[in-house]
Amino acid sequence: MAEHYDAIVIGAGSVGVPAAMSLAASGVRTLVLDGRASAGQGSNKTAIGGVRATHSDPAKIRLCLRSLEIFSTWKERWGDDIGWSQGGYAFVAYREREESILRGLLAVQKSKGLNIAWLGRRELLELIPDLAPDGLVGGTFSPEDGSASPLLALHAFYLRAKALGVEFRFHEPVTGLETAGGRVRGVRTPQGHYGADVVLNAAGARAAAVARMAGMEVPVRPDAHEAAITEPVAPFLKPMVVDSRPVAGSANYYFYQHATGQVILCLTPHPSVWGEECGETSGFLPLVARRLVRLMPRLANIRVRRTWRGLYPMTPDGFPIVGWSQELAGYLLAVGMCGQGFMLGPGLGELLARVVTRKTTAADDEILDILSPYRQFAGQEQLK
Ligand SMILES: Cc1cc2nc3c(=O)[nH]c(=O)nc-3n(C[C@H](O)[C@H](O)[C@H](O)COP(=O)(O)OP(=O)(O)OC[C@H]3O[C@@H](n4cnc5c(N)ncnc54)[C@H](O)[C@@H]3O)c2cc1C
């Protein structure tokens, strides 16, 4: 007889681990399966740790406001240092186009409870004195956003999930689903099979293959992004700075100074680099360095210590895909986190627990509607 669980989570990543933690806290007997050796070995460990509720739509704003509460109070509540630092996020505008997009979003952001303001050029330069002043119009600043360590945070969630009774099995990829009468009944792995009433696909960049096991096509594709970290320098920068002007070879560019002094840099390649290849490229550093020096000339001589590459589980509109399958009862999706899975994880985990225990609120239903697997994918996230 296969062991039976209330819920099986496929993937011990940015989403699967906090989801399992919240499921167990709601009394759901949960098993997490992952093909890799330990928790957070997929995209989670490649994230740079940015946590913001500064998004363009109510679903991500609400989920991340809750995540911010969880990240920022974790140490006080549970004792583990997860590297939380509240430096805020600044989206800078050097052109009318970015100014009008950023200003246009303020109403919806504020209406959902985000603490954010438009800063004129002078105020922004007071906050970030090293920004290149030429052509700077202003920007938004959301002081309650911040950053945390994806490694420390996921490990803390993993330990908490285990303390709540979640079982984890590593080196054990899910290879198929067991179904009967239009319902999911469990999963198969090379080591055996496990029964469950609910199966949650939280398989990150591999979510489409795992959805196909349920006969579903979900538009999630691995999209490779690189990042870099410099040598440590004296503190000079508090917020994460995002420059969304496109430049040849890249769409937007963002960086922050870690509490230990290093600057961490990232950009969105344009065109996108599809596929699972995670080797660093020789093209990234010249591209990101030019953007760094253009935005902050003072950093011209800073030395980069390391670059790495990971995967965004990307969707066509830049929004996650969350909700039940209509074809296979009991099969739940929490996939397509794009560049925000780490920051979405804790808030989304709690929402998933309410979905599984059928305790969603009206606000949850609005989120689920926006992130529905059955939406048209016609919109476009403006702050990807
Ligand atoms: C350079 C870079 C910087 C980033 N910066 C940020 C940031 O600042 N903030 C932020 O919020 N996000 C950031 N991200 C994005 C973030 O890393 C992802 O959105 C997030 O990790 C996705 O979470 P996930 O749980 O969906 O996937 P993952 O964390 O990859 O977890 C999925 C898990 O599923 C497992 N799996 C897959 N298939 C199977 C199977 N068949 N059976 C069992 N297990 C399976 C995998 O092994 C993996 O462990 C960044 C990403 C990159 C590449």
Side-chain angles (χ1 to χ4, degrees), residues 10-16 33-36 42-44 46-50 172-174 202-204 206 210 213 225-227 266 310-313 337-343:
I10 306 175
S14 306
V15 172
L33 292 162
D34 201 298
R36 290 183 160 101
S43 296
N44 183 79
T46 66
I48 67 166
E172 202 164 341
V174 171
R206 299 227 169 115
V210 172
M213 295 174 191
H225 284 239
E226 285 177 85
C266 218
L311 304 175
Y312 279 20
M337 298 299 133
C338 306
Q340 287 102 35
F342 173 63
M343 62 182 84

